[in-house]
Amino acid sequence: MKTKLLAVTAGLLTATMLASAPAKADVKIGLIGGVSGPIAAMAPAMIDAARLAITHVNDQGGILDGETLVGVVGDSACNPQGGTDAATKAVNIEGVLAIVGPHCSGAVLAATGSVTVPAGVVVVTPSGTSPEISNIADNDTVFRTVPSDDYQGRALARTLRERGYDKVAVAYINNDYGTGLANAFRGEFEAQGGEIAGFAAHEDGKASYRSNLAELASGGADTLVLFDYGDGTGLTILRQALENGFFEKFVGGDGMKSDAPINELGAENLATFVASAPVGEKSASLDTFNALFKEAGGDPDAIFVTTSYDAAFLAALALEKAGGDKAGVAAALREVSNGEGEPIGPGEWSKAKELIAAGTAIDYKGAAGDHNFDANGDVPGTFALFEVGADGFEVITEMK
Amino acid sequence: MEWIGLLNYALFMGIFIGIYALLALGLNIQWGFAGLFNAGIAGFFAVGAYTSAILTSAPADGRIGGYDLPFVIGWIAAMVAAAAIAWPIGKICLRFRSDYLAIATIGVAEIIRLVIKSEETLTNSARGIAGLPRPFGEWPYVESQAAFLVLVAAIVLVVYLLVERQFNSPWGRMMRAIRDNELAARAMGKDVEYRRLEAFIFGAAIMGLGGALFAHFNRSITPEAIDPMVATFLVWIMLILGGSGNNRGAILGAAVVWTIWSVSEIATDQLPHEYAVKAKYIRLFLIGLLLQLVLRFRSEGLLPEPLRGDQGNSGIDRERSVQS
């Protein structure tokens, strides 16, 4: 029985491997995302956006000597087990030269630690926001096109101090997003001389948060800083805080900058509510991407689609620049997006290809930002503080 | 595709199979031999992983630990900690029978998961602990993977031999007697509660070791890794499919299930792109289907519990214990 089973397994293995022998002319990059698992609803749009970048490359002359760029989709299931499994297959079986993803921070940490860093494959994650990713000993192979939660938390703290907030209470959702933001915020706010009068995590999906709010309010702060999602638990908390008068002023992170609170609670009740959010919103690159993605049948407002597109397009540019040499991709990635050179926008592959061939420096201006990577491979986000006006959210000030 | 890539993939699968084999062996002690329905494998896995992570990681601000100890100490401590956590849990929960015990252990595992996810000073909460040392981690990729596989395989072999020896000793015979007929065992003067607790702690320690190996292999541990789907139910499927009550079955089950889980993705990738994303779910379907087929046609598992001299007529019992 055992030998028969082993034979069957071996047969299956061989069959799939024979079937997956690649055509010689393909250049592959891995698109590893949380297809199944907790972010299953977000992942398809992100993968579609990355695929759009690949389509642009192939429609405009292909990569290197006109070869086809192929995106190999892997499922990280949003956990370390799936992340390492998908990355191992992408690197070893498919032979990818770079990876876009994984989507979740835990999967990024595991896949880089056990697979891609030892194998020397560049990883560009479009949505791993955990500050831990900055600290990976990565030989400069781990990048991201989404700002670390650290940046937003710190920028928000500085801006609030400038605007005269002295004493605040912080409530955050208990996941890596909320924890990362809240801790960065607390550190910077206190360093700037502010006082944190309450600091507590909450689990999502409860019916009432009044006891949490009462405890936070007992510290005597008149401002609640809320790191949560405006179409979920954050809305419940905001409503209950308003109804019961626990706090006078409210501040949210980017998750709270959603239309749900305005629709549900009314703009007139949110006069003291401000929220921070990334701004790529006015750039020409973003308009271009929105038009292109809509044309391809995608929803440009879906979360992380801009960062996914940029990650894939940057990976392709770096591959072209490095001449398809895996070892040179990391250095090339920094070169194609260091703020110096001829600007390249989303979809401008043929122009970029010509410039690279001519040896001219290029600088990719992405849909989600300029992507000038720092020493850790992180991008500084550009954020602004928003208030609720007559027509939805309006910018009050840029955050630095 | 080069042969070196295939080799690397095989090495990776070997390591994962080894880690899951440890979890399945631990569960086999609890379920296969003592009849304890532990549905909280993820909890002990997590305790082991985090204990070792805290002891061996570099110092960090804002949390305890970071003692920078060698990984061997971390791994031993992982077993001790998992056993120490299992003791009070077993003391309270083992008074429950079968399905009640399952519910209680699921609850305990969730408590452990939520504590880990929330406790900033202990486990760095939702962000997890990264930057763990990995044995042979400084070596080049292929060599490092191969060396880690050798290490994991050696550990699995040692655990297998020790557990096998334990099962064939009078202790193992007594455990089976308690599982198959508790009243009779009690009438023979066996201290049933104490023996069950022994088996529970013994199994939990091995699960903790599996967790520690997993954390060091990935150089990081995050709360996402202790999702019940991948850390509890997948292990159950491995043991049921391989054959509960048989240590070789537990290891074989881990190998078969993980191979199918991992390799089936390569097969579904051959589909056109429109379907490739949707097809990822076929893996979940395949594992479920496999379990159904095994339970229907071979309910004792691929490698059934060996018939020992002392229980030649217990085939019916075995069948019942697998199906319950």
Side-chain angles (χ1 to χ4, degrees), chain A residues 4 11 40 64-65 81 92 121 132 141 150 163 185 193 284 379:
Chain A
K4 199 157 69 177
L64 302 174
D65 296 328
Q81 287 89 337
N92 294 310
V121 173
E132 295 289 338
T141 56
D150 250 9
R163 299 182 68 81
F185 176 84
V379 287

Side-chain angles (χ1 to χ4, degrees), chain A residues 5 13 17 19-20 35-36 40 73-75 81 84-85 88-89 92 106 113-114 118 132 174-176 179 183, chain B residues 1 5-6 8-9 12 16 117-118 120 124-126 141 217-219 224-225 256 262-263 265 270 277 280-281:
Chain A
L5 201 113
L13 203 68
M17 276 160 191
S20 66
V35 176
S36 62
V73 179
D75 180 16
Q81 287 89 337
T84 49
D85 184 41
T88 302
K89 275 181 279 200
N92 294 310
S114 73
E132 295 289 338
N174 193 13
N175 59 22
D176 58 346
T179 315
N183 283 315
Chain B
M1 182 177 18
L6 282 179
N8 264 336
Y9 179 52
F12 168 81
F16 253 67
K117 207 176 143 194
S118 311
E120 175 101 38
N124 205 10
S125 61
Y141 184 41
F217 175 59
N218 289 332
R219 291 181 216 230
E224 291 147 348
V256 171
S262 182
V263 172
E265 190 178 16
Q270 306 313 315
V277 171
K280 302 291 176 193
Y281 291 94

